[in-house]
Amino acid sequence: MQHLLKPDPEKIVDIPVSQLRLDTDNPRLAWRVDGDSQDELVKILWNEMAVDEVAWSIAENGFFRSEPLFVLIANPQETDPAKQIFIVVEGNRRFAAVLLLRDAELRRKVRADGIPKLDPVRHASLDVLPAIIHKSKEDLWTTIGFRHINGIKAWDSFSKAKYVAEVHETYGIPLDDIAQRIGDRNVTVKRLYRGYKVLEQAESQGAFN
């Protein structure tokens, strides 16, 4: 019997792929997608973020349990475990690779050529994915910031700047504290924030799109 899943940052749980969703607020993607278009998010990830490399690795080795997705519960008031929906906050590229590996129609829609064909055993192993359920993005901002601003999976400059601005303005974290927590220099974080605000102001005045 399936049980209702709850946030627990210390526990890896298995979540059905059908109950997982890509994050439409992903700093790399949100500004480019209108509405909640999961297929469009997959297409952007496929075209620009080397999802094919991840797909080949997963097809060959499976989905590593030691690298779980970080997710949030999208509908916390839901009482039916089968209807719980989880937003993938960390691991969108790997999740997109799984979606493409499992769904031939989705591959056709996004023109994802060169994806390996899974044997039945590997396909069944991707029915559920390992994940850690967190309470909120605020609980995760340090981890995500370290991995993508100053870590081995760095985002582009605009995405970094957007994330710094979001953490600073949404959670009220001082820029100096953000720099310290993610292991970056204060001057870099401040430049990212100032640059983002300049672009934001230019766009609001119709001088930049």
Side-chain angles (χ1 to χ4, degrees), residues 27 141 145 149 155 157-175 178-179 182 188-201:
W141 77 262
I149 292 180
W155 287 335
S157 295
F158 179 84
S159 299
K160 292 178 182 180
K162 187 178 188 301
Y163 191 74
V164 167
E166 180 180 291
V167 171
H168 177 60
E169 296 174 1
T170 303
Y171 310 135
I173 308 295
L175 295 176
I178 295 174
I182 66 175
T188 301
V189 168
K190 289 178 180 177
R191 284 175 177 170
L192 287 169
Y193 180 71
R194 289 168 182 163
Y196 179 78
K197 298 308 289 184
V198 168
L199 289 176
E200 190 176 62
Q201 184 178 9

Side-chain angles (χ1 to χ4, degrees), residues 55-194:
W56 276 98
S57 175
I58 293 174
E60 181 69 23
N61 305 300
F63 197 101
F64 293 121
R65 193 168 185 81
S66 59
E67 288 286 330
L69 304 172
F70 289 175
V71 305
L72 303 177
I73 301 175
N75 52 347
Q77 306 306 317
E78 180 59 59
T79 58
D80 183 349
K83 294 181 180 179
Q84 281 188 295
I85 298 297
F86 303 87
I87 304 298
V88 178
V89 178
E90 173 64 27
N92 279 267
R93 196 163 69 118
R94 284 174 289 141
F95 179 47
V98 169
L99 292 175
L100 288 167
L101 284 167
R102 289 170 49 84
D103 190 340
E105 178 60 21
L106 180 59
R107 293 198 296 273
R108 185 193 66 77
K109 283 183 179 179
V110 305
R111 298 181 180 179
D113 300 322
I115 289 283
K117 185 177 180 180
L118 299 181
D119 61 58
V121 174
R122 180 69 76 205
H123 193 285
S125 74
L126 298 176
D127 287 347
V128 298
L129 297 178
I132 296 177
I133 306 172
H134 290 266
K135 290 182 179 180
S136 68
K137 284 189 176 181
E138 186 172 2
D139 292 340
L140 274 170
W141 77 262
T142 302
T143 300
I144 294 174
F146 178 80
R147 288 169 68 89
H148 296 299
I149 292 180
N150 200 39
I152 61 174
K153 299 181 179 180
W155 287 335
D156 60 83
S157 295
F158 179 84
S159 299
K160 292 178 182 180
K162 187 178 188 301
Y163 191 74
V164 167
E166 180 180 291
V167 171
H168 177 60
E169 296 174 1
T170 303
Y171 310 135
I173 308 295
L175 295 176
D176 289 344
D177 288 357
I178 295 174
Q180 183 177 1
R181 295 277 290 276
I182 66 175
D184 211 334
R185 294 187 304 162
N186 291 25
V187 65
T188 301
V189 168
K190 289 178 180 177
R191 284 175 177 170
L192 287 169
Y193 180 71
R194 289 168 182 163

